[in-house]
Amino acid sequence: MTVLETMSLLLVAAGGTCVVAVRDPLRQAMLAGFFGILLAILFFILQAPDVALSEIVVGAVAMPLMILVSLAKIRGGQR
Amino acid sequence: MTLRTRRAVFVVAAAVFAGLLLWGFGGLPRFGTFQGAYGLVLNHTAVPERHITDVVTAVNFDYRGFDTLGEEFIFFAAVVGVTVILRAQSDEAPGHIADYAFGRAVPPTSDAVRVLGLGLTPPTILFGLYVIAHGHLTPGGGFQGGVVLATGVLLIYLAGELDDLHGLYTVPALERAEAIGAGAYIAIGLVGLATGSAFLQNVWPLGRVGHLFSAGTVAPIDLAVGLEIGAGLVLLLVTFLHQTIVLRRTP
């Protein structure tokens, strides 16, 4: 395992722990997007660019957006 | 259950889980070893057999094209499900964004976001089309490119208003585009049957390795999937945003 692979693995572990540890759904959505980018970097370093591309567009863009929009709808009626 | 017992249960469970995990890790092959014979075979046969340079796309849209057809229809069903669930209910009516602001002024979109959004939209859409068109040559393909296309449309919303999207992409047009994309995948598969071969068999001319027009049915399937995913995701976004921003529950 190279230094780059070890570093990105550790970053993914730290990112995943952060997503679980944060309790506020809004912050969690942002962190989940960031976690998606970290995962994409890991996939890219492990020579899986196809999967990395999918992970960026789904994990870092589409999924957090769906969570944000749903949160906005749920919280919309409350002050 | 008190917090104390919950913690005790957690510590015991975590210790057992960690032990099992370490035991399992001990039996894993060394990092980076690959034992899949199928992958090694494909790495050697995909280029001469299918004239395709991205073996991942070759597996997705050719060798295991039937599996991907199933995945396409999972996505199709998911989009249909979301649009049905998020349709306007009888007690909902279009409202104004200021309804939820509770006396605060709705902040206007900043010029920086506007300029960045509009500036990034054309390159993003171009990149999406590039990723779709070159799925058989370089990493990417219909799925990834389709989502990038949808992201380009999302940038239009970020830079402006939701109404800008409704002018550009009316919902019936999106539904049609998604259905045509899904149907085209099956139609390409039926070409194989019609020529006396198997469903989704790569029977089209293969072209020269590395050229844009190569790899037979893979490139058209890429286009079909790109259309379906792009249109489906934009439909999903528009439906979500419509439900969140426009619709209000009437008392």
Side-chain angles (χ1 to χ4, degrees), chain A residues 10 17 20 33 63 71:
Chain A
L10 287 176
T17 313
V20 179
M63 191 195 66
L71 276 180

Side-chain angles (χ1 to χ4, degrees), chain B:
Chain B
M1 209 187 284
T2 60
L3 192 64
R4 209 185 159 85
T5 28
R6 272 165 66 177
R7 278 204 183 126
V9 169
F10 170 76
V11 167
V12 173
V16 172
F17 183 67
L20 279 174
L21 212 58
L22 284 175
W23 183 44
F25 279 156
L28 281 180
R30 280 182 58 79
F31 184 81
T33 44
F34 181 70
Q35 291 166 324
Y38 188 58
L40 295 173
V41 168
L42 280 180
N43 266 342
H44 285 101
T45 55
V47 177
E49 224 178 66
R50 299 288 203 259
H51 295 199
I52 188 168
T53 51
D54 184 5
V55 182
V56 177
T57 307
V59 173
N60 281 341
F61 292 145
D62 187 342
Y63 294 109
R64 305 294 328 150
F66 192 69
D67 300 6
T68 312
L69 182 70
E71 283 177 41
E72 288 314 303
F73 277 83
I74 291 175
F75 180 82
F76 190 80
V79 172
V80 170
V82 167
T83 48
V84 168
I85 290 171
L86 293 185
R87 73 194 186 279
Q89 305 287 324
S90 54
D91 62 341
E92 285 176 330
H96 193 263
I97 190 162
D99 296 351
Y100 282 170
F102 302 114
R104 288 171 291 156
V106 179
T109 311
S110 79
D111 287 343
V113 172
R114 231 172 251 277
V115 169
L116 202 65
L118 285 180
L120 278 175
T121 301
T124 307
I125 289 178
L126 186 67
F127 181 63
L129 293 174
Y130 167 85
V131 171
I132 292 173
H134 292 73
H136 53 301
L137 302 174
T138 50
F143 176 74
Q144 292 92 334
V147 186
V148 174
L149 272 186
T151 315
V153 177
L154 177 71
L155 283 172
I156 300 177
Y157 159 68
L158 277 182
E161 308 288 333
L162 188 60
D163 291 343
D164 299 341
L165 279 189
H166 272 285
L168 275 173
Y169 304 88
T170 54
V171 170
L174 285 173
E175 284 170 356
R176 267 176 221 141
E178 203 207 352
I180 288 170
Y185 198 137
I186 295 180
I188 294 164
L190 287 176
V191 173
L193 272 187
T195 52
S197 193
F199 183 66
L200 278 171
Q201 184 74 37
N202 197 340
V203 288
W204 289 22
L206 290 175
R208 282 176 62 192
V209 176
H211 281 221
L212 188 59
F213 294 101
S214 66
T217 51
V218 174
I221 288 179
D222 257 330
L223 290 181
V225 171
L227 184 67
E228 197 221 319
I229 300 283
L233 207 65
V234 173
L235 185 63
L236 216 58
L237 291 173
V238 171
T239 315
F240 256 104
L241 290 170
H242 184 73
Q243 176 63 242
T244 306
I245 296 172
V246 179
L247 289 181
R248 299 284 175 268
R249 186 158 288 170
T250 48

Side-chain angles (χ1 to χ4, degrees), chain A:
Chain A
M1 215 188 290
T2 65
V3 182
L4 218 53
E5 285 164 353
T6 317
M7 268 172 59
S8 60
L9 266 174
L10 287 176
L11 275 176
V12 166
T17 313
C18 287
V19 175
V20 179
V22 169
R23 306 310 298 176
D24 177 33
L26 188 65
R27 290 182 186 173
Q28 215 165 23
M30 299 312 240
L31 269 175
F34 192 66
F35 177 63
I37 293 178
L38 288 177
L39 261 186
I41 294 172
L42 176 69
F43 291 149
F44 187 72
I45 289 172
L46 293 178
Q47 298 180 29
D50 284 87
V51 191
L53 210 51
S54 309
E55 182 56 41
I56 290 175
V57 289
V58 174
V61 180
M63 191 195 66
L65 185 82
M66 296 289 163
I67 300 175
L68 282 183
V69 174
S70 309
L71 276 180
K73 181 68 186 174
I74 293 167
R75 290 181 175 180
Q78 305 155 4
R79 258 165 204 269

